[in-house]
Amino acid sequence: MAKKITKVYLRSFNLKMAGLHAVQAIAILLLSRNFTLPVSTSFLNFDRATQSLVPATRTLFEVPLALLVVAFLALSSIAHLIISTVYNKSYNQGLSKGMNKARWIEYSLSASVMMVAIAMLVGIYDLSLLIGIFGLVALMNLMGLVMEVHNQTTEKTNWLSYIVGCIAGIIPWVIVALSFWSSAQYGNGEIPTFVYWIFVSIFVFFNAFAINMFLQYKGIGKWKDYMYGERMYIVLSLVAKSALAWQVFFGTLRP
């Protein structure tokens, strides 16, 4: 018989995850070469020769790719550390009710940074579009928070926020897929193979979070115990972030 997952176990597990994310963040920061990607803005410019408005682009600043990777790893490390220390009492109270507010707040930041990094790797540099991608992924995760909070007051599970979150979450992937298609259709260069692996692997992991929530609320198998689903969220978070971080490192940041 499987050992029951306890709050004491989850506190220790969160503390270990804080350490694992922190070690990876430090390793990426110290080992990565200096590699930057541009962030640009698009606007209309008046062409006096043709007396018409024409589209133009200007680079606003450069973003070190390594810092984006370090950012989402560090955000997870800090969140796990807070959960296992100063927030632990509130965390345990939430678990007893079948929710973890801190999880969704952290994901709304870290997963959004992850998606921005993926978007930039496929050539999406426009600031407005990057902000939109960040915002949609943040909204997707905050809908997870709404799902857990709202269903504290319902007798039967209400799936509306889950559905809205899934819709918000799929749009950034459509945008990235369109960028892939445009590069293949009109571009002169080939997108590196590792970027395709990133797209497929992280897309699978993002969907795994939604499946985990579905199994929790349906109470299927081991997911009847909310604590089991909580541990799965923690494992999925570690694996997804680690997979993205090291794929980016070996594909682009390795000296």
Side-chain angles (χ1 to χ4, degrees), residues 58-182:
R58 174 173 293 181
T59 297
L60 297 174
F61 51 87
E62 300 277 335
V63 174
L65 184 58
L67 289 186
L68 289 178
V69 176
V70 169
F72 65 71
L73 288 170
L75 283 166
S76 282
S77 178
I78 292 168
H80 285 299
L81 182 61
I82 291 173
I83 283 172
S84 58
T85 54
V86 295
Y87 187 72
N88 193 248
K89 183 178 179 180
S90 297
Y91 173 66
N92 289 335
Q93 290 172 346
L95 292 179
S96 298
K97 298 175 182 178
M99 63 179 182
N100 177 7
K101 295 179 180 179
R103 178 206 306 131
W104 301 113
I105 294 170
E106 185 253 303
Y107 287 177
S108 72
L109 298 173
S110 61
S112 301
V113 174
M114 291 171 72
M115 199 66 209
V116 166
I118 294 170
M120 296 187 75
L121 281 170
V122 302
I124 299 173
Y125 303 135
D126 185 80
L127 179 61
S128 299
L129 196 51
L130 292 174
I131 291 173
I133 288 171
F134 184 98
L136 283 167
V137 177
L139 176 62
M140 174 188 71
N141 285 288
L142 292 175
M143 284 294 101
L145 173 60
V146 173
M147 176 76 173
E148 290 195 335
V149 172
H150 180 204
N151 281 290
Q152 297 296 309
T153 61
T154 60
E155 292 184 8
K156 183 179 178 181
T157 301
N158 187 306
W159 291 93
L160 179 60
S161 51
Y162 181 90
I163 295 168
V164 172
C166 289
I167 293 170
I170 198 63
I171 295 172
W173 289 103
V174 172
I175 293 170
V176 171
L178 284 173
S179 182
F180 267 113
W181 178 83
S182 297

Side-chain angles (χ1 to χ4, degrees), residues 35 37 65 114-125 173 176-177 179-181 183 190-203 243-244 246-253:
F35 179 82
L37 292 171
L65 184 58
M114 291 171 72
M115 199 66 209
V116 166
I118 294 170
M120 296 187 75
L121 281 170
V122 302
I124 299 173
Y125 303 135
W173 289 103
V176 171
S179 182
F180 267 113
W181 178 83
S183 296
E190 292 186 2
I191 295 176
T193 302
F194 83 92
V195 178
Y196 286 96
W197 280 109
I198 284 175
F199 179 87
V200 173
S201 62
I202 306 306
F203 178 76
L244 178 56
W246 293 107
Q247 285 182 93
V248 171
F249 176 79
F250 287 109
T252 304
L253 299 175

Side-chain angles (χ1 to χ4, degrees), residues 157 159 212-226:
T157 301
W159 291 93
N212 190 57
M213 173 174 266
F214 177 84
L215 292 172
Q216 267 189 324
Y217 275 91
K218 286 294 184 180
I220 298 173
K222 295 179 180 179
W223 281 267
K224 288 180 181 178
D225 180 6
Y226 182 85

